[in-house]
Amino acid sequence: CMTFYYHLFGHGGTLNLYMALGANLGAPLWTRTGTQGDVWRFGRITTTQMNANIVFEGTVNRDRKLFIDHFLV
């Protein structure tokens, strides 16, 4: 299980989380698109896979906000 907080504000932004096994990202495990309000939100993913990397991918348009903080594994 991994928990984190994110802040995604403004139209046109996306936050994806992937589990990377080698060079393969596959499909996102978790995604949020568009404004989630001008507040911090709680996120969580659960996996049984060992020895994998979690990859955060964020995209935003100009004048948008995307922050990630307080990771716990």
Side-chain angles (χ1 to χ4, degrees):
C1 177
M2 184 184 78
T3 61
F4 57 95
Y5 285 86
Y6 67 96
H7 186 280
L8 180 60
F9 182 66
H11 298 286
T14 300
L15 177 60
N16 294 313
L17 271 72
Y18 299 89
M19 182 180 353
L21 298 170
N24 182 16
L25 289 181
L29 296 174
W30 184 96
T31 189
R32 293 294 182 270
T33 301
T35 190
Q36 303 293 304
D38 196 9
V39 296
W40 285 93
R41 304 270 182 192
F42 181 76
R44 174 188 305 208
I45 61 168
T46 303
T47 180
T48 58
Q49 182 67 44
M50 301 298 286
N51 298 322
N53 292 312
I54 301 299
V55 176
F56 286 82
E57 174 190 54
T59 58
V60 292
N61 292 333
R62 188 171 23 142
D63 300 324
R64 306 302 184 244
K65 298 178 187 176
L66 172 57
F67 305 104
I68 306 164
D69 197 10
H70 202 73
F71 305 93
L72 294 173
V73 179

